[in-house]
Amino acid sequence: MKYSFKIKTLGVALMAVTILSSCAGDFDEINTDPNSLTEDQLDATLAGPSFASAIYAGIHNGSYSSPGVDDQGTWGIATGILSSTFIQYLNCGYGTERNAFVNGYEGRGWTRFYTVAVPALNNAIKASAGNAEALAILKIWKVFMYNQMVDAYGPIPYTEAGNGKAKVPYDSVEFIYEDFFKLLDEANTTLSGSAITTVASFQPNDRLYAGNVANWRVFGNSLRLRLALRISDIEPAKAKTQAEAAVAAGVMQTNEQGAFFKASNITPNNLNMIVNSWGYTMTASMESILVGYNDPRLAKWFAKIDTGVYRGQPIGGLEDQFGTTKFSAFNNDVMGNGAAGNLSESKNIEVFMASENYFSRAEGALNGWNMGGSAQSLYEEGIRMSLRQWGITDTAAINAYVAGNTLPTLPNILTVYPTLDLQDIPVKLPVAWSAAVTSQRTQIAVQKYLAIFPESWESWADLRRSDAKVIYPPLNTDNNDAGVGKSLMKRIIYVTNEYSSNKDAVTDGITKLKGPDTGGTKLWWDTK
């Protein structure tokens, strides 16, 4: 591989680490040339900076302050052009909106993950040797960041990633998930039995929880619940056991427990930096749901066009099909660059929201699992939690939304292009809790889709698992592979360079995938 996993692990990762550690003014400056560091120099003082790099790169963000290491284009390509487009959180105007893999975009996230995030994580683990609580937190973060990649690509290098060898084997999805649950169980055992409240080596650099043991334990259990839902179709008994264990151990229950990366001028919010400058717009699917529901989050997320209405762009339009037609941009006050031009440095990055857990628990309750509440009460609390997260605090307005009986609407674009194939509105249910279990499952999926926004990696995986009809199919497709067409993309294809430099391993990965290396091959847990 051109960026072989044998990568100068310390050189590249610690270059990023040096930059990221400058976010915390109270952490000792690293004066040693990172390119000359050797593994025996990885002591406890480098644990925090290494972890900082693993977190930021692990959420696919990059800094303009780290040229040669990464930049904000990683989010724009790995997240914006791929997962966010697939699930129609935004429209980018690139070929991926027609389900096409073009220009090697599938490789950007892969390369940055394995050349920045993985080496940084491995360095943090080595530097934290002997610190049980630090290692437990690193186990949780390892599961989080690898989970996004395995759910996107399928079998990937995992066990031996960053092993310093030119050839790195691929592990199967089911093997990796088995290890995920093992790591999360070990982490919960360590953190729940610990007498310390903060991991000092992480406190200055951890921009999620500042090394807080209780918060990291809750994060880990919430992740365990997420993964339990993911395997609920392929391993229902194990899913029940894992979900009940996660809830019993304690998952996020308040927005204060949610995971939000604290942005800074060194570690900016990439979405806020580029969504409007790159031309990302609101989609017709989002417009249909949000406008139809009179959703109070609509005005927080998107801006009206100059005629005073919201207009979402359909996914899958042909190149220049809509000409100069105006579509709603992301709201500058909340999601974009902002008038002062510094929102990317102050608007925190959504990583894992507490509201997700309520919807996961609601679905679990429908499955007959002990989730600590009824499906309806958990569903409704999840909605309230998400609304409050976005600054909607009026109790009457929140209750009115929860009890709302309006339905999603036809997109405004039909007033300009009335013949577009958008008449069959995907969501045909109100917000108010339905009496039918089948409808309840769809309602949970719809509200979970909204609550996870804008974190598209998890939302994409959840829509594939549930097969809930939430979004419009693309108007057109450039991908006629079996299982793709106008359907939801099932996975990202492997990186071209892997075929030339790690051929035997990627070939074995495709065998473990149990299908061709296309966007139409379902992953192990995607059985519907």
Side-chain angles (χ1 to χ4, degrees), residues 21-279:
S21 67
S22 66
C23 301
D26 53 348
F27 197 87
D28 293 337
E29 181 179 357
I30 300 171
N31 293 313
T32 310
D33 176 6
N35 292 299
S36 67
L37 287 174
T38 57
E39 288 197 18
D40 62 337
Q41 292 175 289
L42 267 175
D43 59 25
T45 64
L46 295 179
S50 297
F51 187 33
S53 182
I55 293 175
Y56 193 58
I59 56 174
H60 317 284
N61 274 239
S63 176
Y64 45 64
S65 297
S66 52
V69 178
D70 202 12
D71 61 62
Q72 62 272 17
T74 291
W75 184 94
I77 295 175
T79 302
I81 290 176
L82 295 174
S83 60
S84 290
T85 297
F86 294 155
I87 63 164
Q88 302 182 32
Y89 272 173
L90 50 76
N91 193 330
C92 61
Y94 294 92
T96 48
E97 69 168 299
R98 295 184 296 277
N99 283 344
F101 290 110
V102 292
N103 298 326
Y105 290 146
E106 69 280 355
R108 178 66 175 264
W110 176 283
T111 300
R112 293 300 189 264
F113 180 79
Y114 282 109
T115 60
V116 181
V118 169
L121 177 70
N122 290 347
N123 289 339
I125 292 171
K126 292 169 186 172
S128 298
N131 187 330
E133 289 81 7
L135 291 173
I137 290 173
L138 292 171
K139 287 178 181 178
I140 293 169
W141 190 248
K142 177 179 181 178
V143 173
F144 178 87
M145 72 180 211
Y146 271 104
N147 175 237
Q148 293 191 333
M149 295 297 287
V150 71
D151 283 352
Y153 291 90
I156 56 172
Y158 174 72
T159 305
E160 295 188 43
N163 64 2
K165 299 178 182 178
K167 309 296 182 182
V168 185
Y170 284 51
D171 293 302
S172 69
V173 177
E174 52 267 48
F175 172 86
I176 295 172
Y177 262 76
E178 183 68 26
D179 195 56
F180 283 168
F181 286 117
K182 175 176 175 289
L183 292 176
L184 292 175
D185 185 57
E186 292 172 352
N188 181 66
T189 298
T190 297
L191 298 181
S192 62
S194 176
I196 71 169
T197 59
T198 304
V199 175
S201 58
F202 289 167
Q203 191 277 328
N205 303 89
D206 171 8
R207 302 188 72 79
L208 287 175
Y209 291 125
N212 183 282
V213 168
N215 284 340
W216 272 109
R217 186 175 68 82
V218 169
F219 180 97
N221 289 323
S222 301
L223 183 55
R224 190 174 185 177
L225 175 61
R226 171 186 284 183
L227 302 186
L229 259 292
R230 191 87 83 248
I231 67 169
S232 58
D233 291 330
I234 189 70
E235 291 187 332
K238 183 174 182 178
K240 179 178 186 293
T241 298
Q242 291 292 341
E244 291 182 343
V247 171
V251 297
M252 297 174 191
Q253 297 186 56
T254 67
N255 286 325
E256 289 69 31
Q257 292 176 315
F260 300 88
F261 183 93
K262 295 175 179 60
S264 74
N265 62 332
I266 303 297
T267 53
N269 185 327
N270 288 180
L271 180 151
N272 287 14
M273 293 177 71
I274 66 177
V275 285
N276 288 333
S277 62
W278 280 33

Side-chain angles (χ1 to χ4, degrees), residues 360-390:
S360 295
R361 291 167 64 193
E363 185 177 349
L366 292 181
N367 294 342
W369 305 347
N370 181 4
M371 295 286 98
S374 69
Q376 179 177 354
S377 65
L378 292 166
Y379 165 80
E380 293 178 349
E381 184 56 29
I383 295 173
R384 292 188 175 94
M385 190 71 60
S386 179
L387 295 180
R388 288 196 293 267
Q389 175 197 320
W390 287 99

